[in-house]
Amino acid sequence: MNLSIVDWFGYNLPPRDRMRAIKEAGFSGVMLLWADYFDKDYKLFPEYARNAGLIIDNAHAPYLNANHLWEDTIDGQEAYQEIITCLEDCAAYTVSTIVMHPENKKGTATVSLPCDFSIGIERMKRIVDIAEKLNVNVAIENMSHPEYLERIFRDIQSERLGFCFDSGHCNVFTPNVDFLALYGDKLMALHLHDNDGSGDWHALPFTGNIIWSDIASKLKKLSYEGAIALEVGNTKFEHIEKPEEFLKLAVESAERIVAK
């Protein structure tokens, strides 16, 4: 099975060097952040990744304005347009899938649910319609409120609409919700990382209290064929100064999941 990691993993290296280090560590794929939150030259990342010999698993859409998608405001329209631009960019750069937040959170604080989901659902329908025309998949990530996923998947049916399972978000916000049982048939992407339930660490698997044998078993039952993909930084490993040493540990943790 292919192993993948997010392009930003906690070390302040130039993007080209990060891509080469990811490949040399033993990963075959990379997940790109399609926003300038860390790097201004993110639109060159597909070129950097492919030149390094990496498969591009997906691109993470901008997420800081996700809550506005559900508002009848100018901010809401701008948040919608931000996703559309991401879809158009990914089609132009031959990136097959975007991962998007249906909502956003700050730390462990969660958002208030909208009184009426209709505005957000209509925007999501238009996003999926455009994704169908552009032949780009949209994978919706579990965050703090399962209700958003429930409404989106209830009201919108499309082969281009799927699910991104985030293990860390599940452990912090919704540990009693079995997302893989609910939406495993829609699974398009993974964001695997660990924590102890108190905060969204984005730490390496096997450093928190997530039961990885349970996740591995569920993925096998689903016959999941996508990448085992880590969305991790170097939390708990800040003492490791060399990024290649951290990436070696990351590969080993991903291989442990596969072996479960």
Side-chain angles (χ1 to χ4, degrees):
M1 183 173 284
N2 291 332
L3 307 181
S4 180
I5 192 170
V6 68
D7 65 70
W8 175 261
F9 47 88
Y11 289 84
N12 191 23
L13 292 173
R16 282 192 183 91
D17 293 344
R18 296 206 302 268
M19 301 297 179
R20 285 194 291 268
I22 288 169
K23 178 65 175 179
E24 289 169 1
F27 288 102
S28 56
V30 65
M31 300 178 290
L32 307 179
L33 175 58
W34 207 259
D36 63 357
Y37 301 161
F38 297 108
D39 301 280
K40 300 300 182 185
D41 57 343
Y42 67 93
K43 289 189 180 182
L44 294 175
F45 281 18
E47 177 186 342
Y48 298 163
R50 290 171 179 137
N51 286 345
L54 291 168
I55 298 165
I56 300 172
D57 290 310
N58 53 66
H60 201 310
Y63 53 83
L64 294 180
N65 298 315
N67 296 338
H68 296 311
L69 274 174
W70 306 89
E71 302 170 357
D72 188 13
T73 62
I74 292 174
D75 287 341
Q77 185 60 26
E78 289 177 351
Y80 162 78
Q81 187 56 52
E82 196 172 40
I83 299 298
I84 298 304
T85 299
C86 179
L87 279 171
E88 293 170 344
D89 285 346
C90 285
Y93 288 90
T94 323
V95 177
S96 64
T97 301
I98 71 164
V99 173
M100 66 172 288
H101 288 192
E103 45 156 319
N104 198 38
K105 46 81 182 174
K106 185 175 182 181
T108 55
T110 61
V111 300
S112 298
L113 291 170
C115 295
D116 184 351
F117 280 90
S118 60
I119 292 168
I121 289 297
E122 286 306 310
R123 286 184 176 133
M124 283 301 308
K125 286 179 178 178
R126 295 199 297 273
I127 286 168
V128 172
D129 285 344
I130 292 171
E132 289 177 341
K133 293 182 176 69
L134 295 173
N135 295 318
V136 177
N137 300 319
V138 178
I140 309 297
E141 181 176 348
N142 58 291
M143 294 294 295
S144 60
H145 284 294
E147 296 93 331
Y148 285 87
L149 289 176
E150 181 183 352
R151 286 298 299 265
I152 290 169
F153 290 135
R154 188 194 76 181
D155 293 354
I156 307 172
Q157 285 74 46
S158 171
E159 291 185 359
R160 290 291 179 185
L161 176 66
F163 175 51
C164 172
F165 173 64
D166 189 297
S167 60
H169 294 166
C170 183
N171 198 49
V172 173
F173 299 111
T174 53
N176 297 320
V177 179
D178 190 344
F179 288 105
L180 290 174
L182 289 170
Y183 308 119
D185 60 329
K186 305 177 186 294
L187 190 62
M188 288 181 173
L190 294 174
H191 281 177
L192 300 181
H193 51 102
D194 213 336
N195 59 62
D196 68 352
S198 67
D200 190 17
W201 296 352
H202 283 264
L204 287 179
F206 305 100
T207 60
N209 63 8
I210 290 176
I211 302 172
W212 289 99
S213 58
D214 183 47
I215 291 176
S217 175
K218 289 174 181 177
L219 291 174
K220 286 177 182 176
K221 287 180 182 178
L222 291 170
S223 300
Y224 175 71
E225 296 181 351
I228 295 297
L230 306 184
E231 193 190 30
V232 297
N234 62 339
T235 301
K236 305 296 179 181
F237 291 91
E238 293 91 346
H239 60 283
I240 296 180
E241 296 182 1
K242 294 183 179 180
E244 57 268 23
E245 292 182 10
F246 173 77
L247 287 170
K248 181 181 178 182
L249 293 174
V251 167
E252 291 172 354
S253 70
E255 290 174 339
R256 285 180 65 186
I257 296 172
V258 175
K260 285 289 183 182

